[in-house]
Amino acid sequence: MPVLEAPQILVIAAALAAAAMWLMLPRVRAGAPSRAAGVVLGLASLGFFASQLPGLGDWADGLIVFVFSGVTVAAAAATVTVHKPVYAAIWFGLVLLGTAGLFLVQGAQFLAVATVVVYAGAILVTFLFVLLLAQPEGRAPYDRTSTEALVSATVGAVIVGVLSIALGRALSSPTLAQTMPPAARRATGVLSEHHVAALGTELFARHLVAVEVAGILLLVALVGATAIATVRKEHKP
Amino acid sequence: MKRDDPGKGDRHLLPTGPDGCFAQKVPVPVSRAKLRWIEEPKLGPAGRTYLPLFLGGLTTTLRHLLGRKVTVQSPEERYSPPDPLIYRGVHRLNRDAEGRVKCVACFLCATACPAHCIDIVAAESPWPDREKYPQTFNIDELRCIFCGMCEEACPVDAIELTSLYDLSGKSREEMIFDKAKLLGIYDMTKDAEPMRSSRNGG
Amino acid sequence: MPTLETLVKIALLIAGLMTAAAYLVLVERWVAAWIQDRLGPNRVGIPLTKVRLFGLGQPIADGVKFLSKEECTPAYVDRLLYFLAPIIMFVAAMAAFAVVPIGSVLPIDVEIDGTTRPIELVVAPGVDVGTVFVFAAGSIAVFGVLLGGWASNNKYSLLGGLRSGAQLLSYELPLGLGILGVVMVAGSLRLETIITQQAQSGVWNAAIEPLGLLVFFVAGFAESGRLPFDLAEAEQELVGGYHTEYGGIKLLLILVTEFLHMFIASFMIVILFFGGWHLWGLTGSGSEVTWPVAIIRVLVLLGKVLLTILFFMVARWSWPRFRFDQLMTMAWKVLLPLGLVNLLTLAVWVEYGDRVSRAMGLPPLAVMAVCGWIVLIVAWAVLAWALPNTTDNRPRRESAGEL
């Protein structure tokens, strides 16, 4: 079991991430040098985070996870820092693909594919649809500048730092090591080759009420959207 | 057309709204009582299932798929227009009975031409029966749209369209037909396609 | 882990798909020509000879022509997305084939991770979510269309892209409903299992759930953007739609992608509803195969796919294109209710059908087929009766005559 050796490194990494995001976010007097500095700091921060990641044993598995995570994080940073809204949507699509890849590495095929279908295929396409019609060039002031760059960067970094320290602690604590299923048993649940059936049973047997409530909520939202959309004002000339 | 540019063309005849665009409702110069709406025909119960239309479309395509083909395999087989006298192919300049060009350089064909492909330079006629004759007569066959308006416009039936359709050339210059070439086409086609009028001695 | 086997399969699949796309373009041109009483391309054969081979050299000539075209980029396009869009489309379409079986298995055993198993004719065997994966790859293709239309900086392209985006988004729903019915009957999302289930029962899903087939077929047509649904291109209105500004090799990529979408739709129709590689009395249904059976299964599957593609090609010239409001009505008011009815019927069937028909002493699948057809006819009739039979697109009567 890997042990979290130095939580202070995670703190440094989070602080670096905050500075990097602040430098990269589109601000009023931020130019290319600022963004370049932000990219460098961001890479350094990623390096610090990565140095604390527990190894996976197999170098090929580790490489795949690192590549997917790196792409996902970099694309997420790009999503909030680019000027053009359409490019932000594309970067977000890459974030989703990276996340799906991470799910796939973990063996959660259904979750990976569902992420792509639901988020990339439906939600993001709807975003794109509106973006294509609205502001093609990214000239609007709300695209050129981010209003609360410092606050948002700091808050984001604090959340990331706290989460990573908490996760590191949890992963290295002895109690969790005992509760974690052994590798042999892990392959029988939602991670097994026939996991879709297991996932379905889990969802529709143990969590049936939650699924139904969510379904009803969506139905109500659908009906509401239809009701709002069909109200027509008669134009009196 | 710009908005602050009223009264040009036909647009001032239509009512415009306050912003200069067309008003939403174009006035109908009839009373409402006389107005009659033409509606799409209502579909019967069979038509509403979409099946007859579906099958109709499919049978039509399948019939043509298996039917006789009309393609003419061009270099080996030749397509001959059913009535060469009314076909609109390459132009020719007709000659009169004495072998002179019939054209009197009146420019009516050049004026009528919608593609502006006819270029005539007129000169004083060396012959007593007319005042002018074409010194040069060029037709840009690449610009020509073969509408036949020149033929219609000609008062002396000097320019006619033949049934030759497969004209080609290796350069743009080659496709500008001059007077000699156009007269040559007449010599080539006069037996197969006699002149459509014998005015001025054909 | 990528093994030699997988790499060989990928290479064969890409080579096969590209060749098939090239030659099906020729077939499409032939079919189009015959339907229009022409002969179609029949001249290009072996270069520098008089041998014509019925025009079989045409795809090579087309390819050379596309490759040797001038690579020009319009001045005001968004360069990055303009280049990215065809690539996204192509990659997404190719990725979908990773889980599509081209046959069943080959009788050669290979040893992987200590277990021996025969070579399966899928690039990625054992993907538990095969159908959803194809679906996901299809939904990525929308990006290419939307981005290509937008990046071209041309109003026709943008309109084509938007139309296509709305169309693909709307028809994904009935497509999913059509798939769900099959998945419910087979009890698996895996394409190989779906085929095996049909092969073992000997009854294709098309007979059991004709309504599902109808919904999936129409939605599949719409997803592949072929002619009754090709509002994205609509040459008469939008020049070329989202690929108006594309030329040369990028246009080739887009056109090949459209063919790949048609392949995917055909493969899915055949696998989900027409029994995949199964044909009665010819292919057997077991997982143990000999060489002749393995080859016959591949040929049967490809033959069925070819027939479906031919239907796509004939359909192109048979019916006029839908207007946009008709398209949306079709998706939301026709196919969606039909798909739900189909799903509901099948759910009831899966829960009670087996028991009830056994109690009555009838073969379950026959009862199911009869029920399926009755549901199809009733649902169709109800829909035909309920929908307005003409679209009222007149100006409003009350105000039109006023002055």
Side-chain angles (χ1 to χ4, degrees), chain B residues 38-56:
Chain B
I38 296 170
E39 314 221 350
E40 279 180 64
K42 290 257 185 276
L43 293 171
R48 292 181 75 155
T49 62
Y50 201 62
L51 278 177
L53 303 167
F54 177 87
L55 293 176

Side-chain angles (χ1 to χ4, degrees), chain C residues 103-247:
Chain C
S104 66
V105 289
L106 290 184
I108 321 171
D109 286 342
V110 285
E111 190 179 322
I112 291 167
D113 298 339
T115 55
T116 26
R117 53 176 184 75
I119 293 182
E120 293 185 59
L121 288 172
V122 197
V123 170
V127 173
D128 211 12
V129 289
T131 43
V132 194
F133 183 83
V134 174
F135 202 63
S139 65
I140 293 294
V142 189
F143 280 85
V145 177
L146 274 178
L147 292 176
W150 179 75
S152 297
N153 204 354
N154 171 325
K155 58 188 168 190
Y156 298 114
S157 297
L158 183 63
L159 276 175
L162 288 178
R163 276 185 184 189
S164 173
Q167 173 181 336
L168 296 182
L169 214 56
S170 304
Y171 277 87
E172 257 171 33
L173 245 69
L175 197 72
L177 285 175
I179 292 179
L180 269 184
V182 175
V183 168
M184 208 186 270
V185 172
S188 172
L189 286 167
R190 207 187 276 218
L191 291 171
E192 296 100 304
T193 318
I194 291 173
I195 299 178
T196 318
Q197 177 257 332
Q198 295 178 67
Q200 273 162 3
S201 69
V203 180
W204 296 348
N205 283 333
I208 299 175
E209 37 175 325
L211 192 55
L213 172 66
L214 180 82
V215 170
F216 188 82
F217 211 102
V218 176
F221 252 82
E223 283 286 305
S224 61
R226 299 272 307 175
L227 197 77
F229 297 97
D230 81 329
L231 282 96
E233 284 164 47
E235 285 88 352
Q236 295 87 339
E237 308 157 20
L238 298 180
V239 191
Y242 63 93
H243 58 63
T244 304
E245 296 282 356
Y246 283 93

Side-chain angles (χ1 to χ4, degrees), chain A residues 58 60-61 64 84 86-87 89-90 93 97 109-110 113-114 116-117 120-122 124-126 128-129 131-133 136-137 192-197 234-235 237, chain C residues 1 78-81 84 88 125-129 132-137 139-140 142-143 146-147 150 153 158 161-166 169 172 189-190 396 402:
Chain A
D58 188 12
D61 282 352
I64 291 172
K84 294 183 177 179
V86 174
Y87 278 83
I90 299 303
L97 286 183
Q109 291 179 3
F110 187 79
V113 178
V116 174
V117 171
L124 194 54
V125 168
T126 323
L128 257 186
F129 215 75
L131 289 177
L132 297 191
L133 285 174
E137 290 293 323
S192 76
E193 205 184 320
H194 295 275
H195 78 284
V196 177
E234 285 297 318
H235 291 290
Chain C
M1 282 292 103
D78 188 317
R79 289 185 71 92
L80 180 62
L81 293 184
L84 201 58
I88 293 180
V127 173
D128 211 12
V129 289
V132 194
F133 183 83
V134 174
F135 202 63
S139 65
I140 293 294
V142 189
F143 280 85
L146 274 178
L147 292 176
W150 179 75
N153 204 354
L158 183 63
L162 288 178
R163 276 185 184 189
S164 173
L169 214 56
E172 257 171 33
L189 286 167
R190 207 187 276 218
R396 257 177 290 165
E402 288 171 16

